[in-house]
Amino acid sequence: MTEQLVDRFGRVHRDLRISLTDRCSLRCTYCMPADGVPWLARSTMLSTEEIVHVARVGVDLGITEIRLTGGEPLLRVDIVDVVRRLTALSGPAGSPEVSLTTNALRLPGLASDLVDAGLSRVNISLDTLERAKFLQLTRRDKLVETLAGIAAADAAGLHPVKINAVAMRGVNDDEVVALTRFAVERGYQMRFIEQMPLDAGHTWDRAEMVTQAEILARLRAVFRLEEVPGRGAAPAELWTVDGGPATVGVIASVTAPFCGACDRLRLTADGQLRSCLFSQTETNVRDLLRGSGQPPAEVGIGPGQALRIGATAPERPVPVADVDLALAGAYRRCLAGKKAGHDIDDPAFLQPDRPMSAIGG
């Protein structure tokens, strides 16, 4: 199974984002309401065996990077085992690089174990350096713990430590310079993100969004920036800060979309493949794994094993090879429906029903 994952526009897909849970320990205002959102039923969530199975087929098809997301992926109790098993996979290009996006709250107790399991690096969300503002933004008084998690990632060698901030008008746009200086002084990589229409309340307003141009203008008032060439499929456009080596990046999904070079697919925590954050369709792989679509009594996937399907095992278990072929077909069906771009500027654009916390970043 070595044919690459290529969509109808010729884009080769090598990056798989896997959401491990939709739960989160914070309640960021741009992500979910104060009371949270209805959580996915636990019976619908993929088991570790199922996640590894879907990822293994993806790696066989040319996936070389796996990013673990949430919600908050470190809330998954077996996160270290998930990382260990994913880094042990091997495909035509070798083993995938496995990274993780997190709010860092659990990193002090997990960073070393994650490194031992093979985790390569982390992206950490930090929208403000002010404690009162952090509480306002996340509805949790956890800035001190977040900073401790960032330091733990650095000490454990999860380099480069990337810091992500969603720029919000009248909220934290006055901290663009301070956040960049914080990262540069510590050897971290700062990344600012244009706010996207992925909030649970569907209150996103483009007129209120802080644009890449505004972010760069604030930075250029203080730093000397030079564009870094060779962006490739990376979502962030980079600039060196005061001659480097430090860089600052902007992910301008709205005003400067990079869809033409997109190489990402997403797997939700409940087993749906998505070709785009803004996709209106999903490809169900959970039902391929479970047959009847009911929670499995037992799932065993590995060399020479068969997958038991449904609440009770069928008379004739489905051979793993057949499930692999079905999953490969699901990857290709998902890609077949991928659009050229996300169409945010199209008057007919519809925000996806799922919020970011239920899609995975």
Side-chain angles (χ1 to χ4, degrees):
M1 207 185 303
T2 58
E3 185 179 344
Q4 290 181 313
L5 291 168
V6 184
D7 68 10
R8 56 199 172 113
F9 301 100
R11 294 172 295 199
V12 180
H13 290 67
R14 302 182 178 90
D15 188 328
L16 178 63
R17 309 289 173 97
I18 300 177
S19 174
L20 297 182
T21 178
D22 62 332
R23 273 71 169 174
C24 190
S25 43
L26 300 178
R27 295 292 182 272
C28 296
T29 56
Y30 55 81
C31 186
M32 64 177 72
D35 296 333
V37 295
W39 304 126
L40 296 170
R42 291 197 179 275
S43 62
T44 69
M45 308 275 275
L46 294 187
S47 69
T48 298
E49 295 286 351
E50 290 170 327
I51 290 169
V52 173
H53 194 174
V54 177
R56 176 172 60 77
V57 172
V59 169
D60 285 345
L61 293 169
I63 293 295
T64 58
E65 298 180 39
I66 295 175
R67 172 83 63 83
L68 302 177
T69 69
E72 171 47 50
L74 295 186
L75 291 180
R76 185 144 179 148
V77 295
D78 62 345
I79 179 62
V80 174
D81 185 51
V82 171
V83 170
R84 181 178 294 109
R85 296 183 64 178
L86 291 176
T87 57
L89 297 175
S90 183
S95 296
E97 178 190 68
V98 178
S99 60
L100 184 145
T101 297
T102 176
N103 61 28
L105 295 182
R106 297 196 68 212
L107 276 178
L110 286 172
S112 293
D113 289 341
L114 289 168
V115 169
D116 290 343
L119 190 71
S120 62
R121 56 183 176 80
V122 289
N123 285 38
I124 299 174
S125 300
L126 179 68
D127 296 315
T128 178
L129 295 168
E130 299 177 16
R131 185 170 178 178
K133 194 181 293 184
F134 189 97
L135 173 59
Q136 176 191 1
L137 272 171
T138 68
R139 304 185 179 99
R140 301 290 188 272
D141 187 13
K142 296 290 185 181
L143 176 60
V144 172
E145 291 86 344
T146 298
L147 295 177
I150 294 171
D154 188 18
L158 287 167
H159 300 142
V161 175
K162 295 184 179 181
I163 307 298
N164 293 343
V166 177
M168 292 162 279
R169 191 175 307 284
V171 179
N172 68 344
D173 54 334
D174 60 336
E175 290 190 75
V176 166
V177 170
L179 283 163
T180 301
R181 186 170 283 127
F182 166 84
V184 168
E185 289 176 351
R186 292 161 179 77
Y188 309 150
Q189 295 185 7
M190 191 69 221
R191 302 290 183 264
F192 294 100
I193 304 171
E194 289 184 340
Q195 189 174 357
M196 295 178 283
L198 288 167
D199 59 301
H202 290 205
T203 61
W204 180 83
D205 183 352
R206 177 165 183 153
E208 293 300 313
M209 183 191 69
V210 180
T211 67
Q212 173 179 266
E214 293 175 88
I215 293 167
L216 292 177
R218 285 183 179 268
L219 291 173
R220 285 188 170 120
V222 178
F223 306 110
R224 176 166 53 89
L225 303 183
E226 296 181 8
E227 188 171 351
V228 177
R231 173 182 181 177
E237 192 171 358
L238 303 182
W239 289 264
T240 57
V241 179
D242 290 338
T247 62
V248 63
V250 182
I251 300 174
S253 300
V254 180
T255 65
F258 41 89
C259 303
C262 180
D263 68 345
R264 286 169 293 287
L265 287 164
R266 288 171 171 82
L267 176 66
T268 66
D270 59 345
Q272 311 300 311
L273 279 174
R274 296 176 63 92
S275 62
C276 175
L277 275 173
F278 302 98
S279 177
Q280 295 294 331
T281 61
E282 299 178 332
T283 303
N284 189 330
V285 296
R286 183 188 66 228
D287 286 359
L288 292 178
L289 292 163
R290 300 181 183 179
S292 66
Q294 299 299 313
E298 176 184 347
V299 178
I301 306 166
Q305 293 183 315
L307 176 65
R308 293 182 60 185
I309 301 173
T312 58
E315 292 182 6
R316 300 180 65 183
V318 179
V320 169
D322 291 351
V323 180
D324 287 359
L325 289 174
L327 289 172
Y331 272 106
R332 295 194 173 96
R333 284 197 306 278
C334 180
L335 276 183
K338 187 164 184 170
K339 296 181 178 180
H342 53 48
D343 295 333
I344 289 178
D345 288 325
D346 190 317
F349 172 79
L350 294 175
Q351 185 170 335
D353 291 334
R354 287 185 189 252
M356 185 70 152
S357 60
I359 296 173

